[in-house]
Every structure is written in structure tokens, then in C-alpha cells.
PDB file of all heavy atoms in Angstrom:
ATOM      1  N   HIS A   1      -9.646  -5.852 -15.834  1.00 84.00           N
ATOM      2  CA  HIS A   1     -10.249  -6.416 -14.625  1.00 84.00           C
ATOM      3  C   HIS A   1      -9.293  -6.376 -13.439  1.00 84.00           C
ATOM      4  O   HIS A   1      -9.682  -6.023 -12.321  1.00 84.00           O
ATOM      5  CB  HIS A   1     -10.684  -7.851 -14.875  1.00 84.00           C
ATOM      6  CG  HIS A   1     -11.292  -8.511 -13.663  1.00 84.00           C
ATOM      7  ND1 HIS A   1     -10.552  -9.212 -12.738  1.00 84.00           N
ATOM      8  CD2 HIS A   1     -12.580  -8.547 -13.226  1.00 84.00           C
ATOM      9  CE1 HIS A   1     -11.339  -9.647 -11.770  1.00 84.00           C
ATOM     10  NE2 HIS A   1     -12.582  -9.260 -12.045  1.00 84.00           N
ATOM     11  N   ASP A   2      -8.012  -6.725 -13.695  1.00 83.00           N
ATOM     12  CA  ASP A   2      -7.059  -6.893 -12.601  1.00 83.00           C
ATOM     13  C   ASP A   2      -6.286  -5.625 -12.244  1.00 83.00           C
ATOM     14  O   ASP A   2      -5.762  -5.512 -11.141  1.00 83.00           O
ATOM     15  CB  ASP A   2      -6.057  -7.994 -12.945  1.00 83.00           C
ATOM     16  CG  ASP A   2      -6.715  -9.363 -13.056  1.00 83.00           C
ATOM     17  OD1 ASP A   2      -7.850  -9.513 -12.573  1.00 83.00           O
ATOM     18  OD2 ASP A   2      -6.106 -10.271 -13.651  1.00 83.00           O
ATOM     19  N   TYR A   3      -6.212  -4.678 -13.183  1.00 77.00           N
ATOM     20  CA  TYR A   3      -5.418  -3.476 -12.951  1.00 77.00           C
ATOM     21  C   TYR A   3      -6.206  -2.185 -13.086  1.00 77.00           C
ATOM     22  O   TYR A   3      -6.329  -1.405 -12.139  1.00 77.00           O
ATOM     23  CB  TYR A   3      -4.225  -3.424 -13.917  1.00 77.00           C
ATOM     24  CG  TYR A   3      -3.066  -4.284 -13.505  1.00 77.00           C
ATOM     25  CD1 TYR A   3      -2.956  -5.589 -13.962  1.00 77.00           C
ATOM     26  CD2 TYR A   3      -2.072  -3.797 -12.662  1.00 77.00           C
ATOM     27  CE1 TYR A   3      -1.886  -6.385 -13.593  1.00 77.00           C
ATOM     28  CE2 TYR A   3      -0.997  -4.581 -12.288  1.00 77.00           C
ATOM     29  CZ  TYR A   3      -0.902  -5.868 -12.744  1.00 77.00           C
ATOM     30  OH  TYR A   3       0.149  -6.653 -12.371  1.00 77.00           O
ATOM     31  N   SER A   4      -6.744  -1.957 -14.268  1.00 61.00           N
ATOM     32  CA  SER A   4      -7.311  -0.638 -14.574  1.00 61.00           C
ATOM     33  C   SER A   4      -8.534  -0.286 -13.767  1.00 61.00           C
ATOM     34  O   SER A   4      -8.684   0.831 -13.289  1.00 61.00           O
ATOM     35  CB  SER A   4      -7.654  -0.541 -16.065  1.00 61.00           C
ATOM     36  OG  SER A   4      -6.641  -0.769 -16.817  1.00 61.00           O
ATOM     37  N   ASN A   5      -9.440  -1.248 -13.638  1.00 54.00           N
ATOM     38  CA  ASN A   5     -10.720  -0.949 -13.012  1.00 54.00           C
ATOM     39  C   ASN A   5     -10.832  -1.444 -11.590  1.00 54.00           C
ATOM     40  O   ASN A   5     -11.867  -1.266 -10.960  1.00 54.00           O
ATOM     41  CB  ASN A   5     -11.868  -1.526 -13.851  1.00 54.00           C
ATOM     42  CG  ASN A   5     -12.103  -0.722 -15.113  1.00 54.00           C
ATOM     43  OD1 ASN A   5     -11.648   0.409 -15.220  1.00 54.00           O
ATOM     44  ND2 ASN A   5     -12.814  -1.298 -16.066  1.00 54.00           N
ATOM     45  N   GLU A   6      -9.790  -2.105 -11.117  1.00 47.00           N
ATOM     46  CA  GLU A   6      -9.843  -2.619  -9.749  1.00 47.00           C
ATOM     47  C   GLU A   6      -9.333  -1.561  -8.777  1.00 47.00           C
ATOM     48  O   GLU A   6      -8.253  -1.660  -8.213  1.00 47.00           O
ATOM     49  CB  GLU A   6      -9.025  -3.912  -9.638  1.00 47.00           C
ATOM     50  CG  GLU A   6      -9.697  -5.120 -10.260  1.00 47.00           C
ATOM     51  CD  GLU A   6     -10.949  -5.554  -9.488  1.00 47.00           C
ATOM     52  OE1 GLU A   6     -10.859  -5.782  -8.292  1.00 47.00           O
ATOM     53  OE2 GLU A   6     -11.999  -5.642 -10.118  1.00 47.00           O
ATOM     54  N   LYS A   7     -10.119  -0.489  -8.613  1.00 46.00           N
ATOM     55  CA  LYS A   7      -9.704   0.592  -7.741  1.00 46.00           C
ATOM     56  C   LYS A   7      -9.524   0.133  -6.298  1.00 46.00           C
ATOM     57  O   LYS A   7      -8.607   0.574  -5.600  1.00 46.00           O
ATOM     58  CB  LYS A   7     -10.730   1.731  -7.789  1.00 46.00           C
ATOM     59  CG  LYS A   7     -10.853   2.401  -9.151  1.00 46.00           C
ATOM     60  CD  LYS A   7      -9.552   3.063  -9.560  1.00 46.00           C
ATOM     61  CE  LYS A   7      -9.716   3.775 -10.904  1.00 46.00           C
ATOM     62  NZ  LYS A   7      -8.440   4.384 -11.348  1.00 46.00           N
ATOM     63  N   ASP A   8     -10.419  -0.761  -5.854  1.00 46.00           N
ATOM     64  CA  ASP A   8     -10.303  -1.252  -4.484  1.00 46.00           C
ATOM     65  C   ASP A   8      -8.978  -1.984  -4.274  1.00 46.00           C
ATOM     66  O   ASP A   8      -8.318  -1.827  -3.247  1.00 46.00           O
ATOM     67  CB  ASP A   8     -11.465  -2.185  -4.150  1.00 46.00           C
ATOM     68  CG  ASP A   8     -12.791  -1.446  -4.065  1.00 46.00           C
ATOM     69  OD1 ASP A   8     -12.766  -0.198  -3.902  1.00 46.00           O
ATOM     70  OD2 ASP A   8     -13.852  -2.103  -4.151  1.00 46.00           O
ATOM     71  N   ASN A   9      -8.592  -2.772  -5.274  1.00 49.00           N
ATOM     72  CA  ASN A   9      -7.328  -3.496  -5.193  1.00 49.00           C
ATOM     73  C   ASN A   9      -6.147  -2.537  -5.207  1.00 49.00           C
ATOM     74  O   ASN A   9      -5.177  -2.703  -4.469  1.00 49.00           O
ATOM     75  CB  ASN A   9      -7.222  -4.493  -6.352  1.00 49.00           C
ATOM     76  CG  ASN A   9      -5.959  -5.347  -6.288  1.00 49.00           C
ATOM     77  OD1 ASN A   9      -5.683  -5.980  -5.283  1.00 49.00           O
ATOM     78  ND2 ASN A   9      -5.200  -5.358  -7.369  1.00 49.00           N
ATOM     79  N   GLU A  10      -6.231  -1.517  -6.065  1.00 47.00           N
ATOM     80  CA  GLU A  10      -5.174  -0.518  -6.138  1.00 47.00           C
ATOM     81  C   GLU A  10      -5.029   0.219  -4.810  1.00 47.00           C
ATOM     82  O   GLU A  10      -3.922   0.445  -4.320  1.00 47.00           O
ATOM     83  CB  GLU A  10      -5.474   0.470  -7.264  1.00 47.00           C
ATOM     84  CG  GLU A  10      -4.373   1.512  -7.461  1.00 47.00           C
ATOM     85  CD  GLU A  10      -4.730   2.515  -8.535  1.00 47.00           C
ATOM     86  OE1 GLU A  10      -5.711   2.311  -9.246  1.00 47.00           O
ATOM     87  OE2 GLU A  10      -4.022   3.518  -8.644  1.00 47.00           O
ATOM     88  N   ILE A  11      -6.173   0.613  -4.229  1.00 48.00           N
ATOM     89  CA  ILE A  11      -6.157   1.307  -2.946  1.00 48.00           C
ATOM     90  C   ILE A  11      -5.558   0.408  -1.860  1.00 48.00           C
ATOM     91  O   ILE A  11      -4.771   0.862  -1.027  1.00 48.00           O
ATOM     92  CB  ILE A  11      -7.578   1.763  -2.569  1.00 48.00           C
ATOM     93  CG1 ILE A  11      -8.032   2.871  -3.532  1.00 48.00           C
ATOM     94  CG2 ILE A  11      -7.615   2.267  -1.130  1.00 48.00           C
ATOM     95  CD1 ILE A  11      -9.496   3.224  -3.410  1.00 48.00           C
ATOM     96  N   LYS A  12      -5.933  -0.878  -1.887  1.00 50.00           N
ATOM     97  CA  LYS A  12      -5.399  -1.823  -0.919  1.00 50.00           C
ATOM     98  C   LYS A  12      -3.877  -1.932  -1.059  1.00 50.00           C
ATOM     99  O   LYS A  12      -3.144  -1.925  -0.063  1.00 50.00           O
ATOM    100  CB  LYS A  12      -6.037  -3.208  -1.094  1.00 50.00           C
ATOM    101  CG  LYS A  12      -5.528  -4.246  -0.091  1.00 50.00           C
ATOM    102  CD  LYS A  12      -6.164  -5.604  -0.332  1.00 50.00           C
ATOM    103  CE  LYS A  12      -5.655  -6.634   0.675  1.00 50.00           C
ATOM    104  NZ  LYS A  12      -4.174  -6.747   0.651  1.00 50.00           N
ATOM    105  N   GLN A  13      -3.387  -2.047  -2.323  1.00 52.00           N
ATOM    106  CA  GLN A  13      -1.952  -2.133  -2.548  1.00 52.00           C
ATOM    107  C   GLN A  13      -1.236  -0.886  -2.043  1.00 52.00           C
ATOM    108  O   GLN A  13      -0.176  -0.971  -1.420  1.00 52.00           O
ATOM    109  CB  GLN A  13      -1.674  -2.342  -4.036  1.00 52.00           C
ATOM    110  CG  GLN A  13      -2.044  -3.719  -4.559  1.00 52.00           C
ATOM    111  CD  GLN A  13      -1.688  -3.888  -6.018  1.00 52.00           C
ATOM    112  OE1 GLN A  13      -1.373  -2.941  -6.714  1.00 52.00           O
ATOM    113  NE2 GLN A  13      -1.734  -5.114  -6.496  1.00 52.00           N
ATOM    114  N   LEU A  14      -1.822   0.273  -2.323  1.00 49.00           N
ATOM    115  CA  LEU A  14      -1.233   1.530  -1.881  1.00 49.00           C
ATOM    116  C   LEU A  14      -1.213   1.616  -0.365  1.00 49.00           C
ATOM    117  O   LEU A  14      -0.214   2.019   0.234  1.00 49.00           O
ATOM    118  CB  LEU A  14      -2.003   2.706  -2.474  1.00 49.00           C
ATOM    119  CG  LEU A  14      -1.429   4.114  -2.223  1.00 49.00           C
ATOM    120  CD1 LEU A  14      -0.023   4.224  -2.780  1.00 49.00           C
ATOM    121  CD2 LEU A  14      -2.332   5.179  -2.849  1.00 49.00           C
ATOM    122  N   ASN A  15      -2.317   1.218   0.259  1.00 56.00           N
ATOM    123  CA  ASN A  15      -2.381   1.226   1.724  1.00 56.00           C
ATOM    124  C   ASN A  15      -1.354   0.273   2.334  1.00 56.00           C
ATOM    125  O   ASN A  15      -0.748   0.587   3.364  1.00 56.00           O
ATOM    126  CB  ASN A  15      -3.787   0.867   2.199  1.00 56.00           C
ATOM    127  CG  ASN A  15      -4.781   2.001   2.009  1.00 56.00           C
ATOM    128  OD1 ASN A  15      -4.398   3.167   1.968  1.00 56.00           O
ATOM    129  ND2 ASN A  15      -6.053   1.676   1.896  1.00 56.00           N
ATOM    130  N   ASP A  16      -1.184  -0.895   1.703  1.00 58.00           N
ATOM    131  CA  ASP A  16      -0.177  -1.851   2.179  1.00 58.00           C
ATOM    132  C   ASP A  16       1.216  -1.233   2.092  1.00 58.00           C
ATOM    133  O   ASP A  16       2.045  -1.388   3.002  1.00 58.00           O
ATOM    134  CB  ASP A  16      -0.229  -3.140   1.358  1.00 58.00           C
ATOM    135  CG  ASP A  16      -1.466  -3.973   1.641  1.00 58.00           C
ATOM    136  OD1 ASP A  16      -2.135  -3.727   2.666  1.00 58.00           O
ATOM    137  OD2 ASP A  16      -1.775  -4.875   0.829  1.00 58.00           O
ATOM    138  N   GLN A  17       1.480  -0.539   0.972  1.00 56.00           N
ATOM    139  CA  GLN A  17       2.769   0.114   0.780  1.00 56.00           C
ATOM    140  C   GLN A  17       2.992   1.202   1.828  1.00 56.00           C
ATOM    141  O   GLN A  17       4.083   1.322   2.405  1.00 56.00           O
ATOM    142  CB  GLN A  17       2.844   0.691  -0.633  1.00 56.00           C
ATOM    143  CG  GLN A  17       4.226   1.154  -1.057  1.00 56.00           C
ATOM    144  CD  GLN A  17       4.258   1.607  -2.506  1.00 56.00           C
ATOM    145  OE1 GLN A  17       3.242   1.662  -3.182  1.00 56.00           O
ATOM    146  NE2 GLN A  17       5.438   1.949  -3.000  1.00 56.00           N
ATOM    147  N   ILE A  18       1.957   2.002   2.063  1.00 61.00           N
ATOM    148  CA  ILE A  18       2.043   3.077   3.061  1.00 61.00           C
ATOM    149  C   ILE A  18       2.271   2.507   4.454  1.00 61.00           C
ATOM    150  O   ILE A  18       3.100   3.006   5.224  1.00 61.00           O
ATOM    151  CB  ILE A  18       0.765   3.928   3.021  1.00 61.00           C
ATOM    152  CG1 ILE A  18       0.716   4.730   1.717  1.00 61.00           C
ATOM    153  CG2 ILE A  18       0.704   4.877   4.223  1.00 61.00           C
ATOM    154  CD1 ILE A  18      -0.630   5.348   1.451  1.00 61.00           C
ATOM    155  N   LYS A  19       1.536   1.451   4.793  1.00 64.00           N
ATOM    156  CA  LYS A  19       1.695   0.812   6.100  1.00 64.00           C
ATOM    157  C   LYS A  19       3.118   0.323   6.298  1.00 64.00           C
ATOM    158  O   LYS A  19       3.699   0.491   7.368  1.00 64.00           O
ATOM    159  CB  LYS A  19       0.702  -0.352   6.228  1.00 64.00           C
ATOM    160  CG  LYS A  19       0.753  -1.038   7.581  1.00 64.00           C
ATOM    161  CD  LYS A  19      -0.251  -2.183   7.650  1.00 64.00           C
ATOM    162  CE  LYS A  19      -0.165  -2.905   8.996  1.00 64.00           C
ATOM    163  NZ  LYS A  19      -1.115  -4.046   9.061  1.00 64.00           N
ATOM    164  N   LYS A  20       3.676  -0.289   5.246  1.00 63.00           N
ATOM    165  CA  LYS A  20       5.042  -0.795   5.338  1.00 63.00           C
ATOM    166  C   LYS A  20       6.032   0.353   5.518  1.00 63.00           C
ATOM    167  O   LYS A  20       6.975   0.259   6.322  1.00 63.00           O
ATOM    168  CB  LYS A  20       5.388  -1.598   4.077  1.00 63.00           C
ATOM    169  CG  LYS A  20       6.795  -2.229   4.142  1.00 63.00           C
ATOM    170  CD  LYS A  20       6.804  -3.304   5.215  1.00 63.00           C
ATOM    171  CE  LYS A  20       8.170  -3.907   5.423  1.00 63.00           C
ATOM    172  NZ  LYS A  20       9.118  -2.974   6.033  1.00 63.00           N
ATOM    173  N   LEU A  21       5.834   1.438   4.788  1.00 66.00           N
ATOM    174  CA  LEU A  21       6.724   2.587   4.927  1.00 66.00           C
ATOM    175  C   LEU A  21       6.644   3.179   6.331  1.00 66.00           C
ATOM    176  O   LEU A  21       7.665   3.535   6.925  1.00 66.00           O
ATOM    177  CB  LEU A  21       6.379   3.656   3.893  1.00 66.00           C
ATOM    178  CG  LEU A  21       6.987   3.489   2.498  1.00 66.00           C
ATOM    179  CD1 LEU A  21       6.535   4.606   1.590  1.00 66.00           C
ATOM    180  CD2 LEU A  21       8.498   3.453   2.566  1.00 66.00           C
ATOM    181  N   GLN A  22       5.423   3.279   6.848  1.00 64.00           N
ATOM    182  CA  GLN A  22       5.262   3.800   8.211  1.00 64.00           C
ATOM    183  C   GLN A  22       6.004   2.930   9.213  1.00 64.00           C
ATOM    184  O   GLN A  22       6.636   3.437  10.140  1.00 64.00           O
ATOM    185  CB  GLN A  22       3.777   3.889   8.569  1.00 64.00           C
ATOM    186  CG  GLN A  22       3.045   5.044   7.895  1.00 64.00           C
ATOM    187  CD  GLN A  22       1.591   5.102   8.331  1.00 64.00           C
ATOM    188  OE1 GLN A  22       0.793   4.228   8.010  1.00 64.00           O
ATOM    189  NE2 GLN A  22       1.238   6.124   9.074  1.00 64.00           N
ATOM    190  N   GLU A  23       5.905   1.622   9.033  1.00 70.00           N
ATOM    191  CA  GLU A  23       6.612   0.698   9.923  1.00 70.00           C
ATOM    192  C   GLU A  23       8.119   0.901   9.827  1.00 70.00           C
ATOM    193  O   GLU A  23       8.828   0.888  10.840  1.00 70.00           O
ATOM    194  CB  GLU A  23       6.240  -0.749   9.579  1.00 70.00           C
ATOM    195  CG  GLU A  23       4.808  -1.123   9.924  1.00 70.00           C
ATOM    196  CD  GLU A  23       4.431  -2.506   9.407  1.00 70.00           C
ATOM    197  OE1 GLU A  23       5.257  -3.117   8.678  1.00 70.00           O
ATOM    198  OE2 GLU A  23       3.317  -2.974   9.724  1.00 70.00           O
ATOM    199  N   ASP A  24       8.604   1.095   8.569  1.00 66.00           N
ATOM    200  CA  ASP A  24      10.032   1.336   8.381  1.00 66.00           C
ATOM    201  C   ASP A  24      10.464   2.641   9.061  1.00 66.00           C
ATOM    202  O   ASP A  24      11.505   2.694   9.718  1.00 66.00           O
ATOM    203  CB  ASP A  24      10.372   1.387   6.886  1.00 66.00           C
ATOM    204  CG  ASP A  24      10.255   0.040   6.203  1.00 66.00           C
ATOM    205  OD1 ASP A  24      10.358  -0.979   6.909  1.00 66.00           O
ATOM    206  OD2 ASP A  24      10.040  -0.002   4.982  1.00 66.00           O
ATOM    207  N   TYR A  25       9.658   3.671   8.869  1.00 70.00           N
ATOM    208  CA  TYR A  25       9.975   4.959   9.500  1.00 70.00           C
ATOM    209  C   TYR A  25      10.000   4.833  11.019  1.00 70.00           C
ATOM    210  O   TYR A  25      10.903   5.338  11.691  1.00 70.00           O
ATOM    211  CB  TYR A  25       8.940   6.018   9.109  1.00 70.00           C
ATOM    212  CG  TYR A  25       8.941   6.414   7.646  1.00 70.00           C
ATOM    213  CD1 TYR A  25       7.808   6.977   7.064  1.00 70.00           C
ATOM    214  CD2 TYR A  25      10.071   6.251   6.853  1.00 70.00           C
ATOM    215  CE1 TYR A  25       7.796   7.367   5.735  1.00 70.00           C
ATOM    216  CE2 TYR A  25      10.070   6.617   5.517  1.00 70.00           C
ATOM    217  CZ  TYR A  25       8.920   7.181   4.962  1.00 70.00           C
ATOM    218  OH  TYR A  25       8.908   7.572   3.653  1.00 70.00           O
ATOM    219  N   GLN A  26       8.999   4.163  11.586  1.00 70.00           N
ATOM    220  CA  GLN A  26       8.923   4.003  13.031  1.00 70.00           C
ATOM    221  C   GLN A  26      10.091   3.188  13.568  1.00 70.00           C
ATOM    222  O   GLN A  26      10.642   3.490  14.627  1.00 70.00           O
ATOM    223  CB  GLN A  26       7.585   3.361  13.411  1.00 70.00           C
ATOM    224  CG  GLN A  26       6.387   4.281  13.207  1.00 70.00           C
ATOM    225  CD  GLN A  26       5.065   3.568  13.307  1.00 70.00           C
ATOM    226  OE1 GLN A  26       5.015   2.342  13.492  1.00 70.00           O
ATOM    227  NE2 GLN A  26       3.965   4.292  13.150  1.00 70.00           N
ATOM    228  N   GLN A  27      10.473   2.146  12.801  1.00 71.00           N
ATOM    229  CA  GLN A  27      11.603   1.331  13.206  1.00 71.00           C
ATOM    230  C   GLN A  27      12.895   2.152  13.223  1.00 71.00           C
ATOM    231  O   GLN A  27      13.696   2.061  14.158  1.00 71.00           O
ATOM    232  CB  GLN A  27      11.762   0.131  12.276  1.00 71.00           C
ATOM    233  CG  GLN A  27      12.892  -0.819  12.690  1.00 71.00           C
ATOM    234  CD  GLN A  27      13.019  -2.013  11.765  1.00 71.00           C
ATOM    235  OE1 GLN A  27      12.326  -2.116  10.772  1.00 71.00           O
ATOM    236  NE2 GLN A  27      13.912  -2.929  12.069  1.00 71.00           N
ATOM    237  N   LEU A  28      13.095   2.960  12.174  1.00 64.00           N
ATOM    238  CA  LEU A  28      14.273   3.803  12.119  1.00 64.00           C
ATOM    239  C   LEU A  28      14.290   4.803  13.275  1.00 64.00           C
ATOM    240  O   LEU A  28      15.323   5.048  13.887  1.00 64.00           O
ATOM    241  CB  LEU A  28      14.332   4.546  10.785  1.00 64.00           C
ATOM    242  CG  LEU A  28      14.718   3.716   9.552  1.00 64.00           C
ATOM    243  CD1 LEU A  28      14.557   4.532   8.287  1.00 64.00           C
ATOM    244  CD2 LEU A  28      16.144   3.206   9.665  1.00 64.00           C
ATOM    245  N   GLU A  29      13.137   5.401  13.568  1.00 65.00           N
ATOM    246  CA  GLU A  29      13.042   6.355  14.662  1.00 65.00           C
ATOM    247  C   GLU A  29      13.311   5.673  16.006  1.00 65.00           C
ATOM    248  O   GLU A  29      13.973   6.244  16.880  1.00 65.00           O
ATOM    249  CB  GLU A  29      11.666   7.014  14.660  1.00 65.00           C
ATOM    250  CG  GLU A  29      11.528   8.198  15.618  1.00 65.00           C
ATOM    251  CD  GLU A  29      12.394   9.378  15.243  1.00 65.00           C
ATOM    252  OE1 GLU A  29      13.004   9.362  14.147  1.00 65.00           O
ATOM    253  OE2 GLU A  29      12.488  10.319  16.038  1.00 65.00           O
TER     254      GLU A  29
END
């Protein structure tokens, strides 16, 4: 329920990770 089949949650986590990385990249630039 919480990991395997929660694709929306997984996508949200991935998007959060990507957003944070983009912010880090922009800050460094």
C-alpha cells in the first residue's frame, strides 16, 4: 500500500527530489 503500488506517492517523491536538485543547481550557478 505504502510503497509498491503507490505510484502517485513515488512520483511525488521523485518530483520533490528533482525540484530540490534543480534548486541546488540553480543556487550553485
Side-chain angles (χ1 to χ4, degrees):
H1 179 270
D2 295 344
Y3 280 92
S4 303
N5 286 343
E6 285 292 306
K7 296 297 182 182
D8 291 341
N9 183 54
E10 183 183 350
I11 292 170
K12 181 181 180 304
Q13 289 183 348
L14 186 59
N15 285 335
D16 289 344
Q17 192 175 5
I18 291 167
K19 183 180 178 181
K20 183 67 184 69
L21 276 179
Q22 285 182 292
E23 291 173 354
D24 290 336
Y25 293 157
Q26 290 168 358
Q27 183 179 4
L28 286 172
E29 190 66 8

